[in-house]
Amino acid sequence: MSPDYVKAIEGGVHPTQIIETKIFARRWLILTIFVLYSASNSMQWIQYSIIANIVERYYNVSSFLVDMTSMIYMITYIPFIFPASYLLDRFGLRFAVIVGAIGTTIGAWIKVFSVSPDLFWITFIGHTFVAVSQTFVLSVPARLAAVWFGPDQVSSACSIGVFGNQLGIAIGFLFPPILVPNSDDLAVVARGFQIMFYIVAAFTSLILVIILLFFKAQPPLPPSPAQAVQRENDSAEDFIQSIKRLFTNVGYLLLLLSYAINVGIFYAISTLLNQIILEYFPGHEEDAGRIGLTIICAGMLGSVICGIILDKTHKYKETTIGIYFFSFLGMIVFTFTLDIGRIYIVYIISALLGFFMTGYLPVGFELAAELTYPEPEGTAAGLLNAVTQVFGIIFTILYGNLIKLLSNLWANIVLCIALAFGAFLTTIIPNDLRRQNAKF
């Protein structure tokens, strides 16, 4: 009796069925294309907020409107993720990725025509197109990893997929302060915006062409017996019933809340980083961008390392608890070192905070996939992200108001308390690894 036959029976497939599985080398090309596609979208998320003071002066808009360019990613995600998740489950990866790439490209080109100081509304419309397209990005990594990769690589593949989002955010932190100078001459600022918009539009267009030519929905054969079972379930799956089952899964609901707290706080810090750094270090716009870059690069390293750890140990809950606890500690240290007056210390602490807080992203995705199997990964991840966007909006508004009404110190202390609560919720998540129990 073949090993695949035994695994198929253990995975719930009827004994009369013959299961053939294969892992294709093309999976790495598919994953690489997705990483670039994800980066092309997320690089635009923070491109205004990280140069908030320049945007306010050039377009003559309030700080709230600049913050909204970041929050619009969160606001639009909430209503659009449900139809996006349905389309992902119904029509597959290729369809979802093409739709997202088209929307991202259209939005980037609209912004090319918004360089004039009186055309902030145009740039916001273009940015909203990109924000809506994000719904076809964030929930894909777990799905892509499960569809294309075998059981010993699925967590690493998911972490690399999330890496693409972080890579884009890193680019968004780094280049806007370099390309758009803080000059008194508005013509110089306008030239910087024009260069930035054209570069982004050209890059997104190139990625769209690559996706149309080379990106495939799924391999001819499933990479594992468990994925074969899920393919059959997906074909007859009722999307609404799947959502209902997720909302009755206690472990998943606990993860939903704890994940949303952690990542929502990361969104708030990223959105307001320019304001935080400039309060302690006036005139350091480029440092604010580089500190953001440091957070994300450290997080990319954390994501990959955590993915490898999960594939080697399959200790999903234990890894999640550890990462969450160190995120909490990192936030405490970040809170009480900002006012020391040494910019290099901020860089070091930000790297530690980013390693754990951003490194938590793929860990949460993978634990969700374990807790909810055999529900579609895209649906579980999409709902996870939807709640996260709600918390991101709440924490961004709360954080900004606390900074204005009290101080950076007390605003950060409130975030520390929220992270402590999230860490507690993580400890009581049931260690119910359904996907592992399906015997990949």
Side-chain angles (χ1 to χ4, degrees):
M1 185 176 292
S2 72
D4 277 348
Y5 185 83
V6 174
K7 289 181 179 180
I9 295 174
E10 293 173 337
V13 179
H14 194 275
T16 59
Q17 293 177 275
I18 299 174
I19 297 298
E20 185 179 359
T21 64
K22 183 178 179 180
I23 298 175
F24 292 81
R26 189 187 182 93
R27 68 194 186 281
W28 294 110
L29 173 63
I30 299 298
L31 184 58
T32 300
I33 293 173
F34 174 77
V35 166
L36 295 175
Y37 155 64
S38 179
S40 74
N41 182 279
S42 61
M43 66 192 286
Q44 301 180 62
W45 168 50
I46 209 75
Q47 70 178 169
Y48 297 107
S49 295
I50 198 58
I51 51 172
N53 56 319
I54 300 174
V55 175
E56 289 173 34
R57 182 165 55 85
Y58 180 77
Y59 283 109
N60 192 27
V61 293
S62 66
S63 61
F64 175 77
L65 282 178
V66 179
D67 292 344
M68 277 297 296
T69 62
S70 171
M71 288 195 291
I72 196 66
Y73 264 65
M74 308 173 207
I75 293 169
T76 56
Y77 193 92
I78 298 164
F80 283 103
I81 184 54
F82 295 104
S85 293
Y86 172 78
L87 292 173
L88 173 62
D89 293 337
R90 178 69 178 83
F91 297 105
L93 284 170
R94 178 175 167 82
F95 177 85
V97 169
I98 288 175
V99 171
I102 290 173
T104 299
T105 304
I106 290 174
W109 278 105
I110 289 175
K111 286 191 276 187
V112 166
F113 300 99
S114 68
V115 174
S116 176
D118 61 342
L119 294 180
F120 183 78
W121 65 277
I122 294 289
T123 212
F124 197 85
I125 289 174
H127 202 65
T128 302
F129 266 87
V130 180
V132 172
S133 302
Q134 180 200 212
T135 57
F136 294 96
V137 178
L138 291 187
S139 58
V140 169
R143 173 79 166 190
L144 187 151
V147 168
W148 279 92
F149 287 79
D152 294 330
Q153 293 179 331
V154 67
S155 295
S156 297
C158 181
S159 69
I160 294 172
V162 174
F163 174 97
N165 181 263
Q166 297 167 1
L167 174 63
I169 297 173
I171 294 170
F173 273 123
L174 178 63
F175 285 104
I178 296 173
L179 295 173
V180 185
N182 187 10
S183 172
D184 293 331
D185 186 349
L186 291 186
V188 173
V189 178
R191 180 62 177 165
F193 274 118
Q194 189 174 52
I195 292 171
M196 179 173 71
F197 291 151
Y198 268 114
I199 289 174
V200 173
F203 181 65
T204 55
S205 300
L206 175 63
I207 297 303
L208 175 58
V209 172
I210 292 173
I211 288 170
L212 290 172
L213 292 176
F214 301 110
F215 195 88
K216 302 297 181 184
Q218 64 183 25
L221 296 172
S224 67
Q227 182 56 216
V229 174
Q230 200 158 35
R231 278 194 187 187
E232 291 201 352
N233 289 341
D234 288 349
S235 63
E237 184 60 72
D238 184 330
F239 180 73
I240 300 300
Q241 292 301 317
S242 180
I243 293 290
K244 288 181 179 178
R245 284 193 294 272
L246 289 176
F247 274 113
T248 57
N249 185 323
V250 175
Y252 178 70
L253 292 178
L254 289 170
L255 176 64
L256 205 63
L257 184 55
S258 61
Y259 184 92
I261 290 172
N262 190 308
V263 183
I265 287 174
F266 165 70
Y267 287 168
I269 293 173
S270 299
T271 299
L272 300 174
L273 187 61
N274 173 271
Q275 300 173 39
I276 296 168
I277 298 302
L278 292 187
E279 178 174 331
Y280 292 100
F281 304 95
H284 284 245
E285 288 88 0
E286 290 194 19
D287 275 308
R290 286 193 288 261
I291 288 170
L293 175 68
T294 301
I295 291 173
I296 300 302
C297 287
M300 285 190 253
L301 178 63
S303 293
V304 174
I305 290 176
C306 289
I308 294 172
I309 290 173
L310 290 180
D311 277 332
K312 296 294 184 183
T313 67
H314 301 299
K315 300 291 185 181
Y316 291 87
K317 181 179 177 180
E318 294 84 349
T319 304
T320 305
I321 292 173
I323 293 293
Y324 214 116
F325 177 72
F326 282 110
S327 295
F328 168 61
L329 289 183
M331 189 65 206
I332 291 177
V333 177
F334 180 79
T335 298
F336 293 101
T337 56
L338 275 172
D339 61 352
I340 291 178
R342 299 286 188 274
I343 193 77
Y344 70 88
I345 293 179
V346 179
Y347 274 94
I348 295 171
I349 301 305
S350 297
L352 292 175
L353 181 65
F355 182 90
F356 294 108
M357 186 169 280
T358 314
Y360 172 74
L361 297 173
V363 176
F365 273 166
E366 284 299 284
L367 182 58
E370 290 293 333
L371 293 171
T372 61
Y373 180 85
E375 306 300 338
E377 294 89 355
T379 305
L383 189 57
L384 201 68
N385 280 319
V387 177
T388 297
Q389 309 309 314
V390 174
F391 276 67
I393 295 167
I394 293 171
F395 279 121
T396 299
I397 295 173
L398 176 66
Y399 194 34
N401 286 329
L402 287 175
I403 289 173
K404 292 174 182 176
L405 296 174
L406 300 175
S407 66
N408 268 328
L409 175 63
W410 283 106
N412 286 325
I413 288 174
V414 170
L415 298 191
C416 289
I417 293 171
L419 274 174
F421 179 65
F424 166 73
L425 290 177
T426 305
T427 63
I428 60 176
I429 294 174
N431 197 21
D432 182 18
L433 306 183
R434 300 180 181 182
R435 191 170 63 174
Q436 290 302 309
N437 294 335
K439 300 292 184 183
F440 281 92

